[in-house]
Amino acid sequence: MSETVKGGYAGQILRVDLTAGTHRVQPLPADWPVKYIGGRGFVARLLYEEVAPGVDPLGPENKLVMAAGPLSGVLLPGCGKTHFGAKSPTTGGYGDSNIGGHLSPELKQAGYDVLVLEGQAKEPCILVIDDDSVKLLPAGDLWGKGCYEAEETLKKRYGEDFQVALIGPAGENLVKFACISHDFGRQAGRTGVGAVMGSKRVKAIVIRGTKTIPLADPQGVYAMGKQMYESCFSKPGFKKWTPYGTAEVVDWVNEIGAFPTRNFKTSYFPEYKQINGVRLREEIRQTDKGCMGCPIPCGKYSKARSSMGEAMVEGPEYETIALLGGNCCLGNIHDVAYANYICDELGLDSISGGNVAAFAIECFEKGLLTEEQVGMALSFGDLKSVVHLLKLIAHRDGVGDMLAEGVKTASERIGHDSAKFAIHVKGLEWTGYESRYSPSQMLSYITADIGAHHNRSWAITYDVAVGRDTLEGKAAKVVELQHTRPLFDCLGICRLQWVEIGFDLNWYETIFPKITGINRTWQELLHVSERVWNLTRAFSARHVPGWGRGLDRPPARFLEEPIPDGPAKGKLITESQMNELLDEYYRLRGWNDNGLPTKERLVALGLADVAADLWG
């Protein structure tokens, strides 16, 4: 490791060869902390170097990477973030997913910054990491079990001081939007990382670490950490945010006309007050739950008393409310929470799950799927329809086998113009913000490096603040946010303190050298984030034919159908407006007209090897 790095890193990569049943430990490359920081940066660099174009995302040559950041596990607000990544079975390009909880602190305390799963086990197994002890053990008794049941079994078997990441039946059955679950309700959803873990026949990763995370200035970190917590507690938004968590925004998103409703046909759900944060708090919430070091616990343990039975679940979070609630027209918080529970137990990403269920229901309404094919009559607003579809998908049963591929592939197989209402970008389903009247947010979705996802650039508030009818400055704001927000994923810390209660970004610039010994301004840290953004774009450009402008497009519904009702009635972003936004975005990024990083830009970012791969 570089002499300039004095703390924040365990300094090792743990590689597990599942085919051979062996493992080895290697030093973290000396330049990685400086060039890529950690977390998302380490995932992107390793996948770029080691996963060749043409590799099957669900084949043994793909790699599943788990990585911590330098701030992971250091007692600071929101220090429990972990990054998973692989070549995505959802898009065929770069894929990653961030998860909260307690995994990355345990990984670092066991002595590793990065865990790499390579090859493919012959039989279902679990990986048990206990400091220097690394074992692959049979998982036959757990294979087929749901996430809650399997995690409870593992906790009883190994003890509460072990942390668990695992898959459910959806991951075992290689559902393209299966997630990795942790801590009874946290998920690394999106991009199909759970399917990759299932393809390797790994049911669970079980970790305990007892070592100390080195710090460049332990006393300085302790003193500043206290100040950071005090700053969080003093923010005006602190008391407002905590009672409702992410569900707080349900009302606002509906009232500006951006709430996914009826498979994104419209953007306002009349029953939204029945599924908002107040309903969650008053009717189903049992207690609050936070990740390691969190001063603003967004998790809500809830008890659903639905029309199909009772269930305990963490959530629902905003995205789940939007996609299983409004998008499937479930107008009762108990029903939304129960559908959330079904997704969590099966190991399904609830965002894609809600999208695919709504797509299937619309296909049924249009006569493109029959009752004989599906097994029952489907309708929006019916919990039984949604749960039935989710179970078919997770087990790849009947029509669920096709739907398990996601809306892009399902629409290609169904035909009859169903692609026009298959709501995705590059194969990844859209998240919880309908964007026909939000140019910045629309641009954020179509240029996100993993497909349609809001977490790279949540720009809708900027649209509302400066006016949604103008395009001026929108591309610049998206670029800015696409550097700022993913930087948190490199650092290994939660962004919600900044996003939701206005925590000052300068804290991270100040604490970084006290942890690592590396002095970096915020702008220099953002430069690393830009490097990683270009690296992930290059990865996908090498792996997916046509990755670029031709795929940087919203669904046809968003370009052809004005919003039919609600606060944004009649609004639409046109093809020419979309091209204007893309032209400006590519120019600001230093990319060519086709949306690919130029040789000059890559070299300037310290990616000369990537430039040579793309351009010779």
Side-chain angles (χ1 to χ4, degrees), residues 96-112:
D96 68 23
S97 186
N98 193 264
I99 190 172
H102 311 270
L103 284 170
S104 60
E106 212 71 44
L107 182 70
K108 285 175 68 174
Q109 289 165 356
Y112 315 105

Side-chain angles (χ1 to χ4, degrees), residues 15 33 107 129 147 278 314 411 558:
R15 292 181 178 270
L107 182 70
I129 302 168
C147 293
V278 173
E314 183 183 340
S411 68
F558 291 176

